[in-house]
Coordinates of all heavy atoms in Angstrom, one line a residue:
E1 N 111.6 93.4 109.7 CA 112.4 94.7 109.8 C 112.5 95.4 108.4 O 113.0 96.5 108.3 CB 113.8 94.5 110.4 CG 113.7 94.0 111.8 CD 113.2 95.1 112.8 OE1 113.7 96.3 112.7 OE2 112.3 94.8 113.6
G2 N 112.2 94.6 107.4 CA 112.3 95.2 106.0 C 113.8 95.1 105.5 O 114.1 95.7 104.5
D3 N 114.6 94.3 106.2 CA 116.0 94.2 105.8 C 116.3 93.6 104.4 O 117.2 94.1 103.7 CB 116.8 93.4 106.8 CG 116.8 94.1 108.2 OD1 116.7 95.3 108.2 OD2 117.0 93.4 109.2
F4 N 115.5 92.7 104.0 CA 115.7 92.1 102.7 C 115.4 93.1 101.5 O 116.2 93.2 100.6 CB 114.9 90.8 102.5 CG 115.3 89.7 103.4 CD1 114.3 89.2 104.3 CD2 116.5 89.2 103.4 CE1 114.7 88.2 105.2 CE2 116.9 88.2 104.3 CZ 116.0 87.7 105.2
E5 N 114.3 93.8 101.7 CA 114.0 94.8 100.7 C 115.1 95.9 100.7 O 115.4 96.4 99.6 CB 112.6 95.4 100.8 CG 112.4 96.1 102.1 CD 110.9 96.2 102.5 OE1 110.3 95.2 102.7 OE2 110.5 97.4 102.6
K6 N 115.6 96.3 101.8 CA 116.6 97.3 101.9 C 117.9 96.8 101.3 O 118.6 97.6 100.5 CB 116.9 97.7 103.4 CG 115.8 98.5 104.0 CD 116.0 98.6 105.5 CE 114.8 99.1 106.2 NZ 114.9 99.1 107.7
W7 N 118.2 95.6 101.5 CA 119.4 95.0 100.9 C 119.3 95.0 99.4 O 120.3 95.4 98.7 CB 119.6 93.5 101.5 CG 120.6 92.7 100.8 CD1 122.0 92.9 100.7 CD2 120.3 91.5 100.0 NE1 122.6 91.9 100.0 CE2 121.6 91.0 99.5 CE3 119.2 90.8 99.7 CZ2 121.7 89.9 98.8 CZ3 119.3 89.7 98.9 CH2 120.6 89.2 98.4
A8 N 118.2 94.5 98.9 CA 118.0 94.5 97.4 C 118.0 95.9 96.8 O 118.6 96.1 95.8 CB 116.7 93.8 97.1
E9 N 117.4 96.8 97.5 CA 117.3 98.2 97.0 C 118.6 99.0 97.0 O 119.0 99.6 96.0 CB 116.2 99.0 97.8 CG 116.0 100.4 97.3 CD 115.1 100.4 96.0 OE1 114.2 99.6 95.9 OE2 115.4 101.3 95.2
F10 N 119.3 98.9 98.2 CA 120.4 99.8 98.4 C 121.8 99.1 98.1 O 122.7 99.7 97.6 CB 120.4 100.4 99.7 CG 119.2 101.2 100.0 CD1 118.2 100.8 100.9 CD2 119.0 102.4 99.3 CE1 117.0 101.6 101.0 CE2 117.9 103.2 99.5 CZ 116.9 102.7 100.3
S11 N 121.9 97.8 98.4 CA 123.1 97.1 98.1 C 123.2 96.5 96.7 O 124.2 96.7 96.0 CB 123.3 96.0 99.1 OG 123.5 96.5 100.4
L12 N 122.1 95.9 96.3 CA 122.1 95.3 95.0 C 121.6 96.2 93.9 O 121.7 96.0 92.7 CB 121.1 94.0 95.0 CG 121.5 92.9 95.9 CD1 120.5 91.8 95.9 CD2 122.9 92.4 95.6
R13 N 120.9 97.3 94.4 CA 120.4 98.3 93.5 C 119.4 97.7 92.5 O 119.3 98.0 91.3 CB 121.4 99.1 92.7 CG 122.4 99.9 93.6 CD 123.4 100.7 92.9 NE 124.3 101.3 93.8 CZ 124.2 102.5 94.2 NH1 123.2 103.2 93.9 NH2 125.1 103.0 95.0
D14 N 118.5 96.8 93.1 CA 117.5 96.1 92.3 C 116.1 96.4 92.9 O 115.7 95.8 93.8 CB 117.8 94.6 92.3 CG 116.9 93.8 91.3 OD1 115.8 94.3 91.0 OD2 117.3 92.7 90.9
S15 N 115.5 97.4 92.3 CA 114.2 97.9 92.9 C 113.1 96.8 92.6 O 112.2 96.7 93.4 CB 113.8 99.2 92.3 OG 113.7 99.1 90.9
K16 N 113.2 96.0 91.6 CA 112.2 95.0 91.3 C 112.3 93.9 92.4 O 111.2 93.4 92.9 CB 112.4 94.4 89.9 CG 112.0 95.4 88.8 CD 112.1 94.7 87.5 CE 111.7 95.7 86.4 NZ 111.7 95.2 85.0
L17 N 113.5 93.5 92.7 CA 113.6 92.5 93.7 C 113.2 93.0 95.1 O 112.5 92.4 95.9 CB 115.1 92.0 93.8 CG 115.3 90.9 94.8 CD1 114.4 89.6 94.6 CD2 116.8 90.5 94.8
A18 N 113.5 94.3 95.3 CA 113.1 94.9 96.6 C 111.6 94.9 96.7 O 111.0 94.7 97.8 CB 113.6 96.4 96.6
E19 N 110.9 95.2 95.6 CA 109.4 95.2 95.6 C 108.9 93.9 95.9 O 107.9 93.7 96.7 CB 108.9 95.8 94.3 CG 107.4 96.0 94.3 CD 106.9 96.9 95.4 OE1 107.6 98.0 95.7 OE2 105.9 96.7 96.0
R20 N 109.5 92.8 95.4 CA 109.0 91.5 95.6 C 109.2 91.1 97.1 O 108.4 90.5 97.7 CB 109.7 90.5 94.7 CG 109.3 90.7 93.3 CD 110.0 89.8 92.3 NE 109.7 90.2 91.0 CZ 110.3 89.7 89.9 NH1 111.3 88.9 90.0 NH2 109.9 90.1 88.7
F21 N 110.4 91.5 97.6 CA 110.6 91.2 99.0 C 109.7 92.0 99.9 O 109.2 91.5 100.9 CB 112.1 91.5 99.4 CG 113.1 90.5 98.9 CD1 114.4 90.9 98.8 CD2 112.7 89.2 98.6 CE1 115.4 90.0 98.4 CE2 113.7 88.3 98.2 CZ 115.0 88.7 98.1
R22 N 109.4 93.2 99.5 CA 108.4 94.1 100.3 C 107.1 93.4 100.3 O 106.4 93.5 101.4 CB 108.4 95.5 99.6 CG 107.7 96.5 100.4 CD 107.8 97.9 99.8 NE 109.2 98.4 99.8 CZ 110.0 98.6 98.8 NH1 109.5 98.4 97.5 NH2 111.2 99.0 98.9
A23 N 106.7 92.8 99.3 CA 105.4 92.1 99.2 C 105.2 91.0 100.3 O 104.1 90.7 100.7 CB 105.1 91.6 97.8
T24 N 106.3 90.4 100.7 CA 106.2 89.3 101.7 C 105.7 89.8 103.0 O 105.0 89.1 103.7 CB 107.6 88.7 101.9 OG1 108.5 89.6 102.5 CG2 108.2 88.1 100.7
R25 N 106.0 91.0 103.3 CA 105.5 91.5 104.6 C 104.0 91.7 104.6 O 103.3 91.5 105.6 CB 106.2 92.9 105.0 CG 107.7 92.6 105.2 CD 108.4 93.7 105.9 NE 108.5 94.9 105.0 CZ 108.3 96.1 105.4 NH1 108.1 96.4 106.7 NH2 108.4 97.1 104.6
G26 N 103.4 92.0 103.5 CA 101.9 92.1 103.4 C 101.2 90.8 103.5 O 100.1 90.7 103.9
L27 N 102.0 89.7 103.2 CA 101.4 88.4 103.2 C 101.5 87.7 104.5 O 100.8 86.7 104.8 CB 102.1 87.5 102.1 CG 102.0 88.0 100.7 CD1 102.9 87.1 99.8 CD2 100.6 87.9 100.2

């Protein structure tokens, strides 16, 4: 659902972590 990247991006305000989480979906 992309929930981890959304959590990192919007709650933690960490775009680098969000990008790393986003990469998991492609794998």
Side-chain angles (χ1 to χ4, degrees):
E1 296 292 313
D3 292 336
F4 295 119
E5 64 200 64
K6 291 173 192 169
W7 169 66
E9 183 77 35
F10 301 110
S11 295
L12 300 178
R13 298 182 186 266
D14 189 336
S15 60
K16 289 183 181 182
L17 182 57
E19 187 58 39
R20 291 177 189 168
F21 284 158
R22 191 173 293 113
T24 63
R25 292 193 295 141
L27 299 174

